[in-house]
Amino acid sequence: METWPGKAYPLGATYDGTGVNFAVFSEVATRVELCLVDDDGSERRVDLPEVDGFVWHGYLPGVQPGQRYGYRVHGPYDPANGHRCNPHKLLLDPYAKAIDGMADGDQALFSYDFADPSEDPGKANIEDSLGHTMYSVVINPFFDWGQDRAPGHEYHDTVIYEAHVKGLTEQHPDIPEEIRGTYAAMAHPVTIQHLKDLGVTAVELMPVHQFVDDFTLRERGLHNYWGYNTIGFLAPHNGYAAYGTRGEQVAEFKGMVKALHAAGIEVILDVVYNHTAEGNHLGPTLCFRGIDNAAYYRLVDEDKSHYYDTTGTGNSLLMRSPHVLQLIMDSLRYWVLEMHVDGFRFDLAATLARQFHEVDKLSAFFDLVQQDPVVSQVKLIAEPWDVGDGGYQVGNFPPLWTEWNGKYRDTVRDFWRGQPATLGEFASRITGSSDLYQEDGRKPIASINFATAHDGFTLRDLVSYNEKHNEANGEGNQDGESHNRSWNCGVEGPTDDPQINALRRRQQRNILTTVLLSQGVPMLLHGDELGRTQQGNNNTYCQDNELSWVDWDLDDTERGLLAFTQRLVRLRSEHPVFRRRRFFAGSADHGGESEVGDIAWFEPGGSHMDEAAWANGYARAVMVFLNGQTIPEPDTRGQKIVDDHFLVLFNGSDGDIEFTIPTADYGDSWVVEIDTATEGAPDPAQQPAAYAPGAKVTAIGRSVVVLRCARS
């Protein structure tokens, strides 16, 4: 084939209308072959003729979008010194923007000799992986975005909905069957209408970067469902494509983003830059391992045949390598500039901070993000932990970042399941966790507040099970978290007891009310608003089936929960007192009060909380006053924000409690907005028109009552 020198930048395969420039980094390579794979599975090999700065490159005129390709990298196979080149393995382009096929698990994918897994350098596996591996695809980068523009919701106005592309749409009866479980299904009007009716402003999609279906799972008849097994950092996962995988998935993904943006909904991607799908030293050679193992992965210093692993997946990317950092930053910019996404949630983000051994929030990765004019301007959400030493870093990320607040999740769960000594911390969490974020200049929006996420129980299961029930995963129920901070309300799993079922429904409403009315950014797990259950499985990473998918066949109870959630989101949206941009002026200790009067805390009898009340480890009830007329920040036009006052009555005890409305200094006429004791909206016929100061309001055992005082 005719081959021109081409250019070393940009990396990847770049189509310009008449041909394609190919460029791939490898410092260890002695020769790099570009392999064009034809429809019949045969290949045409072309030596890349030029190398500049360890980037091998060449331009092939006439190559068109849809062309499948890969690389064969010649160089040392010397695991003891960290090198694993093997030209018998067809390798993915680290910068591939589309990937076709799926690796099949054949022995040909592995570089070491199966007869000698000790990996004697002289016994590399010479079986050819062509026909067993995945293929990079040249894409057409052109797309008609029309009038697309980012919704640009401020954090304090944001309600996040964590969703799985397939899980959310696979069983929806009003989506055409042939596109269910795909990007096209996410863009379907019925999906978008559900999100709009719910009132969420952003979908946080579980991994959509190209991932690998674990071979060991397939042997058990299971599949990688969550997708935290990335192999292509610039390629949308081909398993979610309705219209083809020879690059068509790119346009389909863009169409999904465009449709969601038109509805005012942002798209946040859950991204996995901490490890890859190649696993440990016994894993397959699909891409990075065969291109330049020591440049991409963190190896054990004293034994470079093994990988340093802080992710629990077998490997960790080398965060001090300039080429790894370049790949991550190029990937992030690509998804923002070319795919128009609005932000990222970083899986196991503490690993990204491990430039050397310790977690260092000032590592090179965070410096690069801080100064990048594109990436620094989108939503950046950290999962602030990993499995390595010192990996739990909630509250310790740089000011530009927000965090999944694991302490919020744990405290809210503990409060509603009746654990002692949680009242003070509960107060701190629902007011924005100033103890975690205020000292370094961050604001309440730094806290992503959630009680449930993909990893763990659904909301319904959180109030229905004390123990995990993961037998279906085939690991003897040993996988998944054993300390769930859950409470089954008296019976493990499904029951016909009407009182227990009523309590479980109320507990779901309590937790939703807490999350959606706390200061910070609320996040809901898809299906929680519908009462979704996973039958007690808290680790459905391998359950690509009805156990994990959202069931859209709703009964009256589930429709009622949906309506309740919609009402909560609407209340938050309509009242800025629940979504302040700044912390309350009171001290962080137990959500203390201040001279400004923006917040006040009361015992059920109406007296102010004092130190003794906060120190009572068995106190289970508190009333908080939110002053709608002392919100310090102006609106977008510079006008003072004035809202109604609210009283929120939390009763986490088993018994009914009478709360006394505070004095007229706090408001003279209070009406019920939310009462989690009721299945539907509060019935005006069952309540006085308004509660006056000194009146008694009963909050039944384990319930929340929200009272509003209209501004005078």
Side-chain angles (χ1 to χ4, degrees), residues 407-408 411-412 414-415 419-435 587-592 599 601 609-622:
K407 293 185 178 181
Y408 179 96
T411 301
V412 168
D414 281 348
F415 178 81
Q419 288 295 104
T422 59
L423 193 59
E425 186 166 5
F426 180 74
S428 294
R429 297 294 155 250
I430 66 175
T431 54
S433 296
S434 61
D435 58 323
S587 68
D589 297 333
H590 312 308
I599 189 170
W601 299 88
M609 293 283 289
D610 57 19
E611 285 302 316
W614 286 119
N616 182 354
Y618 293 93
R620 308 298 311 143
V622 68

Side-chain angles (χ1 to χ4, degrees), residues 24 56 64 96 189 199 210 236 265 270 299 316 319 337 386 403 415 437 472 498 501 509 525 528 559 595 608 617 656:
V24 61
W56 301 73
Q64 296 295 306
Q210 183 68 50
I265 298 170
D270 191 339
L299 307 177
S316 301
M319 295 309 299
L337 295 175
D386 66 12
E403 300 175 14
F415 178 81
Y437 304 115
N501 284 328
R509 296 192 292 271
L525 170 63
D528 275 356
R559 281 190 288 269
E595 295 180 358
H608 284 265
D656 299 354

Side-chain angles (χ1 to χ4, degrees), residues 543-564:
Q543 298 296 329
D544 188 5
N545 50 51
E546 291 85 352
L547 184 65
S548 297
W549 302 336
V550 173
D551 183 359
W552 292 93
D553 184 14
L554 308 181
D555 60 22
D556 289 343
T557 296
E558 292 157 347
R559 281 190 288 269
L561 183 61
L562 173 59
F564 180 83

Side-chain angles (χ1 to χ4, degrees), residues 175-243:
I175 295 176
E177 188 172 355
E178 62 272 17
I179 68 167
R180 293 177 191 170
T182 69
Y183 306 120
M186 281 295 301
H188 194 277
V190 299
T191 306
I192 290 177
Q193 192 62 52
H194 175 74
L195 298 172
K196 290 182 65 176
D197 290 345
L198 186 56
V200 299
T201 66
V203 290
E204 182 178 300
L205 298 179
M206 290 178 65
V208 295
H209 287 176
Q210 183 68 50
F211 60 85
V212 175
D213 198 2
D214 307 65
F215 307 145
T216 56
L217 289 178
R218 287 195 217 168
E219 292 172 358
R220 303 204 304 264
L222 301 170
H223 298 279
N224 187 312
Y225 172 64
W226 285 353
Y228 292 94
N229 206 28
T230 303
I231 197 65
F233 294 109
L234 287 85
H237 182 60
N238 57 31
Y240 301 148
Y243 302 122

